[in-house]
């Protein structure tokens, strides 16, 4: 008995489970399950139970249905043009209980294709009605208006079947006479014209812009080349000026050197003449020798002092030259660094080539300035040496003049006759040596490479030779206390008078 009860209980449980499984229904979101029988229920995207044999289950699709709507034959519009319309419409069953009930009455358990076919007939009829109300241009230019009018017109019809329009898109309007196509000819022509004009204007603007850019580039290049040429010309002119100045200073230095050498030779020749006079004077008494010894001592002292002064001036000049040279080198190094800095800055900001030319020009200018300073310093040293030698010669000449003056004082004791005789002898020696002295002075100018004369300076050399000779005679007159001009004039005058008297006696 217990086993039977257990079996029956198990059978009852199994039955209940099977009943529950068979009774359980679950609807997807795009499907409406309608349970009818004992109590009507609609399930969308949920679950419920139906009692088998007492209730039934029916389905209504809620998915989106696409309908391709075309006019089966051309439809005349308000312009009496036969138009074909091609549109795509998306429809579906509404989710409102009322629309689901209407759809259940019309499309219960129906396939989507069937629903699309029914809706197509409704939509095509409404579309033909709207085509007859609109003009051709209005239809073509405002498709959305056409679609809205068809949708507004078809909504009530579809709503009575439980359907609603989701979207309405017109694909194309066409006609057999190509009237719609011809509407665009004017627009196409105008658009083509506008496009051609726009293209021509654009090409013109591009050509103008290119020409302007080419002009500006050419102007910049010409300006750059002109500036470079100007700078190069200025550099060449500066080089020429510096070379001219250096050559001039070199020529002056060479001329001064030759003149100084000639002066030295002249002094030597004068000394030779003095030596001859001194040999003749050796016949004078012991007192004159004492005067000569004293003169030599004085000459030695003066010479030593002059040499010392000369050496001091030379050392000062060399020190000044060394200092100026170092300053010039330092200035050249500073200017070179400044030029390099300017070059680096110009390479970052502007045209590297132009900045390099400016830097090189500055460096060359600094080098030329250093060379000029060096040349001036060398000329200063040469001038200092010349001044020292001239000072020594001057001191020596003064000593000699003092000695000669003392000699003259000694000679005064021997009377005017002896003095006149001595003066005549000195004048004789001077006249004998005068051609050699003038030759020596003139030869100084032959050792100068080139001397440029301007204007009325062509006679300056001859005048210089004569002037040096006159200076020598004047110096001799002052040193010996002898007026060579008066002495020679008197001697030559006496000879002339003597010759004239002899002529009368004859």
């Amino acid at each position: 008995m217990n086993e039977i009860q257990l079996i029956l209980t198990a059978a009852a449980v199994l039955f209940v489970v099977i009943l529950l499984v068979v009774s359980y229904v679950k609807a997807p979101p795009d499907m409406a399950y309608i349970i009818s029988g004992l109590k009507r229920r609609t399930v969308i995207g949920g679950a419920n139970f139906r009692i088998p044999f007492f209730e039934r289950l029916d389905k209504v699709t809620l998915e989106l249905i696409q309908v391709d709507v075309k006019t089966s034959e051309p439809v005349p519009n308000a312009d009496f043009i036969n138009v074909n319309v091609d549109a795509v419409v998306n429809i579906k069953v509404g989710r409102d209980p009322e629309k689901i009930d209407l759809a259940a009455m019309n499309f219960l358990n129906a396939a989507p294709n069937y629903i699309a076919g029914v809706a197509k007939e409704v939509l095509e009829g409404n579309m033909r009605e709207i085509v007859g109300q609109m003009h051709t241009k209005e239809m073509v230019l405002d498709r959305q208006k056409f679609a809205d009018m068809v949708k507004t017109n078809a909504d009530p019809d579809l709503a009575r079947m439980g359907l609603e329009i989701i979207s309405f898109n017109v694909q194309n309007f066409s006609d057999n006479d190509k009237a719609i196509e011809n509407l665009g000819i004017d627009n196409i022509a105008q658009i083509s014209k506008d496009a051609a004009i726009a293209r021509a204007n654009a090409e013109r603007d591009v050509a103008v812009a290119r020409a302007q850019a080419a002009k500006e580039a050419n102007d910049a290049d010409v300006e750059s080349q002109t500036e470079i040429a100007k700078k190069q010309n200025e550099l060449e002119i500066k080089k020429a000026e510096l070379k001219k100045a250096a050559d001039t200073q070199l020529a002056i230095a060479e001329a001064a050197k030759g003149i100084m050498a000639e002066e030295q030779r002249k002094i030597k020749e004068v000394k030779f003449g003095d030596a001859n006079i001194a040999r003749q004077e050796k016949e004078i008494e012991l007192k004159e020798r004492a005067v000569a010894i004293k003169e030599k001592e004085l000459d030695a002292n003066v010479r030593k002092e002059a040499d010392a002064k000369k050496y001091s001036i030379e050392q000062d000049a060399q020190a000044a030259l060394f200092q100026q040279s170092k300053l010039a080198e330092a200035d050249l190094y500073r200017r070179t660094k400044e030029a390099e800095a300017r070059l680096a800055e110009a390479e970052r900001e502007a045209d590297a080539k132009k900045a390099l030319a400016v830097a090189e020009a500055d460096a060359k200018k600094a080098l030329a300035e250093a060379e000029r300073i060096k040349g001036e310093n060398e000329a200063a040293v040469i001038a200092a040496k010349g001044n020292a030698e001239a000072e020594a010669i001057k001191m020596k000449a003064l000593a000699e003049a003092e000695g000669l003056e003392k000699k003259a004082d000694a000679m005064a004791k021997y009377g005017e006759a002896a003095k006149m005789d001595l003066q005549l002898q000195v004048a004789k020696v001077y006249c004998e040596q005068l051609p050699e002295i003038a030759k020596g002075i003139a030869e100084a100018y032959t050792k100068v490479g080139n001397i440029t004369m301007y204007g009325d300076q062509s006679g300056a050399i001859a005048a210089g030779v004569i002037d040096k000779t006159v200076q020598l005679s004047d110096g001799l007159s002052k040193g010996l206390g002898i007026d060579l001009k008066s002495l020679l004039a008197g001697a030559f005058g006496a000879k002339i008078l003597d010759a004239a008297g002899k002529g009368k006696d004859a």
Side-chain angles (χ1 to χ4, degrees), residues 73-90:
E73 58 183 12
V75 180
N77 62 5
D79 296 326
F80 303 102
I81 296 174
N82 294 324
V83 178
N84 292 310
V85 182
D86 185 6
V88 175
V89 184
N90 290 315

Side-chain angles (χ1 to χ4, degrees), residues 329-375:
E329 290 176 359
D331 186 66
L332 174 60
Y333 178 80
R334 180 181 63 79
R335 293 191 183 187
T336 303
K337 289 300 181 181
E338 290 177 353
E340 291 174 354
R342 287 195 298 272
L343 176 59
E345 183 67 20
E347 287 176 350
R348 289 191 297 270
E349 296 178 354
D351 188 7
K353 186 176 180 180
K354 183 176 179 180
L356 180 59
V358 173
E360 290 177 352
D362 290 340
K364 292 179 179 179
K365 182 178 179 181
L367 182 58
E369 183 69 15
E371 291 179 354
R372 183 184 67 79
I373 294 172
K374 184 178 180 181

Side-chain angles (χ1 to χ4, degrees), residues 18-37:
I18 293 173
L19 181 63
L20 290 175
V21 171
V22 173
S23 301
Y24 183 76
V25 293
K26 185 177 181 180
D30 62 344
M31 188 70 68
Y33 283 1
I34 299 174
I35 301 173
S36 58

Side-chain angles (χ1 to χ4, degrees), residues 191-242:
I191 291 171
S192 299
K193 177 181 177 182
D194 294 340
I197 293 172
R199 184 182 297 107
N201 291 334
E203 291 176 353
R204 180 199 62 195
D205 294 340
V206 170
V208 170
R210 287 178 178 173
Q212 183 66 25
K215 179 179 179 299
E216 292 177 357
N218 184 65
D219 292 342
D221 184 60
V222 169
E223 184 178 356
S224 176
Q225 295 296 331
T226 303
E227 190 67 22
I228 291 172
K230 288 181 179 179
K231 293 296 182 182
Q232 289 179 348
N233 289 338
E234 292 176 359
L235 178 60
E236 294 299 328
I237 293 171
K238 194 65 177 178
K239 285 182 178 178
E241 292 176 353
L242 292 174

Side-chain angles (χ1 to χ4, degrees), residues 271-284:
K271 288 299 179 182
F272 291 152
D274 293 342
N276 292 329
I277 295 172
R279 282 193 298 270
Q280 293 177 4
E281 291 175 350
K282 286 180 181 180
E283 297 177 356
I284 305 174

Side-chain angles (χ1 to χ4, degrees), residues 8 21 79 81 87 91 106 138 143 187 192 222 236 247 282 326 355 426 457 465 479:
L8 291 175
V21 171
D79 296 326
I81 296 174
I91 64 172
N106 293 293
E138 184 182 11
R143 293 187 179 189
N187 293 333
S192 299
V222 169
E236 294 299 328
D247 292 342
K282 286 180 181 180
K326 289 300 181 181
V426 172
Q457 296 179 354
V465 174

